Amino acid sequence: MKRHALSLTLLLSSLTGAFANNDQVQLNSNLLNLVRARMNQSSTASWEIGTRIQTLLEVDFSSMSVFSSNYLTPTPPSAQTLNPVLDIARRVVNTRSSKQLVADGSSADPASIGVGVLLGNWTRAPGANWDTAAEDQLDALMKDTPRTVDGALSHRTEVVQLWSDYVYMVPPFLAYYGVLTANTTLISESYNQIKLYRKYLYDSNAHLWRHITTASRDLSGPQGTGGDAFNFNDTGYWTTGNGWAAAGMLRVLGTIKNSPYSKEFDDEQGDLKDWIGDIHNGMKDNLPSSGIFYNYADDDSTGADAASTALFAATVYRAVTLYDPGHYGGVVDAAERAREAIYSNNGTVHFDAQGWLRPVVNPNSFHEIGAESPEGQAFVLQMDNNWREWVSQGSKSAALGRTDLAAASGFRMLVLVLLASLLVL
């Protein structure tokens, strides 16, 4: 009998440890530091700079991120404490050569840097003309950018072309600008731009966003610089584009939710939650057994992409810590499978010795798998940060629905009871 009791104790201990260890797949700090170093050294394009700024805010200065309930402090924080972020934005402001923060052919990507510029202005940081730079960037968007006939601002300056990426670049800038200046028209416009882009790009059958579409231009407004180089469509479900859209909507949602205008925009927040959930459920259904998404979600011929996989997981963890999405057990499970795949074998599978994430889509050629992705590095840091925040808030018990949690706990208990019964017999 003692032998059975001892065996039972050892079995229960090992099983409990196995279940506990299942949640502990993570990267060590040395590898995370390498990931950060590669992001810092390689982020040179406008959208990469903007993504880097946002990542540093979320990871290093979380109280100043729009996901913090206290990001709008009664008095602005000391600019000196935010120097790692403001130094990046300051360099952009002091080297700009146009109304846009960066003139690179995109009307949207330079606006991604705008949150850093607005933060510099709000904290009265020295060394840059923050207010003028922010106003000029807003003016370039609202007055110089071609639109669709129903008001969607083009992602490009040449023609009216809508990219899913836009949702991360422009609406968060408009929402943050609106909150800081008490301009509810800009807050409304941030939501309206997302709604319009969703109208053009969302496929309700797949529950995913298509990547790029052209549209008819409003002939009464700016006509664009012209040219045929960007007169094309990309109707595939680009995984990174779906991640950009979900992440951008989460930033707008956080900006509004944690502001004095939350009640005024309650309906809009409800829409954003639904639209984020649409993407998460659509992506969940396309996660391969490897745990790494294909570059185009439903097309295995496009190759595996760990960058968009990290972004998907980052947005899921952010959603379940920002609000209660309800019935998200399957989505959270997909995020965990994706994160654990990226982290497998202590990161040796999907990171090289220098800390570069592998494999990744080419940031400058979205149909191709490339070698290095600055934004991919940022997505890993966001994923890790958001996952740790999720764990600190109670992990699965905080994210899974009650039914899902009960089922998971019940299944584990059933396994333990059955095995114990066999030992006793």
Side-chain angles (χ1 to χ4, degrees):
M1 189 68 178
K2 289 182 180 180
R3 187 176 302 166
H4 285 310
L6 179 60
S7 299
L8 177 59
T9 301
L10 290 173
L11 176 62
L12 290 173
S13 176
S14 63
L15 283 170
T16 303
F19 287 140
N21 289 337
N22 187 51
D23 292 332
Q24 300 306 313
V25 180
Q26 54 188 299
L27 297 183
N28 63 56
S29 59
N30 290 335
L31 181 50
L32 286 171
N33 287 337
L34 286 174
V35 171
R36 177 190 291 256
R38 300 294 82 76
M39 176 191 73
N40 288 339
Q41 76 176 47
S42 62
S43 299
T44 56
S46 60
W47 75 90
E48 294 166 351
I49 296 170
T51 304
R52 179 188 175 198
I53 286 174
Q54 180 63 24
T55 300
L56 292 178
L57 278 174
E58 292 184 30
V59 176
D60 295 342
F61 306 98
S62 59
S63 65
M64 296 307 300
S65 158
V66 295
F67 298 118
S68 167
S69 59
N70 301 312
Y71 82 88
L72 289 173
T73 56
T75 56
S78 166
Q80 188 173 359
T81 62
L82 295 168
N83 266 342
V85 169
L86 297 182
D87 281 346
I88 301 168
R90 187 181 288 111
R91 283 193 295 272
V92 173
V93 170
N94 290 336
T95 56
R96 71 189 181 106
S97 58
S98 69
K99 289 171 68 175
Q100 288 186 297
L101 291 168
V102 178
D104 61 2
S106 171
S107 56
D109 294 340
S112 67
I113 307 170
V115 166
V117 175
L118 289 167
L119 191 57
N121 186 55
W122 185 48
T123 58
R124 301 181 178 87
N129 247 345
W130 304 107
D131 55 345
T132 302
E135 290 170 4
D136 283 353
Q137 177 58 65
L138 181 64
D139 200 56
L141 275 172
M142 306 305 291
K143 297 181 180 179
D144 300 342
T145 302
R147 297 173 178 256
T148 63
V149 292
D150 50 0
L153 293 167
S154 175
H155 185 87
R156 299 294 308 178
T157 59
E158 302 90 346
V159 297
V160 174
Q161 191 182 51
L162 311 182
W163 297 40
S164 53
D165 317 35
Y166 170 98
V167 178
Y168 191 83
M169 313 303 164
V170 173
F173 170 61
L174 297 178
Y176 194 61
Y177 205 131
V179 167
L180 288 185
T181 60
N183 186 333
T184 54
T185 300
L186 279 181
I187 300 174
S188 293
E189 188 63 19
S190 71
Y191 164 82
N192 187 51
Q193 287 297 312
I194 294 171
K195 184 177 182 179
L196 287 168
Y197 263 69
R198 187 176 184 272
K199 168 188 168 183
Y200 283 96
L201 295 173
Y202 179 65
D203 182 342
S204 58
N205 293 319
H207 300 290
L208 294 171
W209 286 44
R210 301 191 185 278
H211 186 200
I212 299 171
T213 189
T214 52
S216 299
R217 183 173 59 231
D218 179 2
L219 298 178
S220 67
Q223 298 303 292
T225 57
D228 294 328
F230 287 89
N231 192 20
F232 65 88
N233 298 320
D234 181 17
T235 59
Y237 309 119
W238 190 43
T239 304
T240 303
N242 278 275
W244 283 130
M249 285 190 278
L250 281 162
R251 291 174 63 193
V252 171
L253 176 61
T255 304
I256 297 173
K257 179 179 184 292
N258 294 318
S259 79
Y261 307 100
S262 182
K263 290 185 178 179
E264 185 175 345
F265 290 92
D266 188 62
D267 289 343
E268 289 83 352
Q269 291 179 73
D271 284 342
L272 291 171
K273 292 174 184 178
D274 289 343
W275 299 343
I276 293 162
D278 286 338
I279 291 176
H280 283 160
N281 280 290
M283 289 304 304
K284 164 187 67 83
D285 293 340
N286 284 280
L287 183 64
S289 58
S290 67
I292 304 296
F293 284 108
Y294 302 125
N295 186 27
Y296 282 74
D298 62 340
D299 189 349
D300 59 4
S301 71
T302 60
D305 175 38
S308 59
T309 301
L311 180 56
F312 164 78
T315 62
V316 172
Y317 297 129
R318 176 56 68 200
V320 296
T321 54
L322 182 62
Y323 61 96
D324 178 14
H327 304 293
Y328 239 47
V331 173
V332 172
D333 179 65
E336 279 287 80
R337 285 171 53 205
R339 181 187 63 81
E340 290 177 0
I342 292 175
Y343 285 6
S344 59
N345 291 342
N346 297 314
T348 57
V349 175
H350 288 291
F351 295 90
D352 68 12
Q354 287 73 47
W356 285 109
L357 180 66
R358 308 278 198 230
V360 292
V361 61
N362 184 340
N364 298 300
S365 183
F366 46 79
H367 282 296
E368 302 173 0
I369 299 301
E372 298 170 355
S373 171
E375 65 203 47
Q377 302 299 108
F379 299 158
V380 170
L381 296 175
Q382 290 185 22
M383 174 181 67
D384 191 80
N385 176 76
N386 298 354
W387 170 70
R388 291 175 188 277
E389 185 175 329
W390 172 62
V391 170
S392 73
Q393 291 185 12
S395 194
K396 286 181 168 58
S397 62
L400 298 180
R402 291 181 181 177
T403 302
D404 299 310
L405 182 62
S409 300
F411 175 75
R412 293 181 182 186
M413 184 59 69
L414 178 61
V415 171
L416 291 173
V417 169
L418 287 174
L419 288 173
S421 299
L422 290 173
L423 277 177
V424 171
L425 293 174

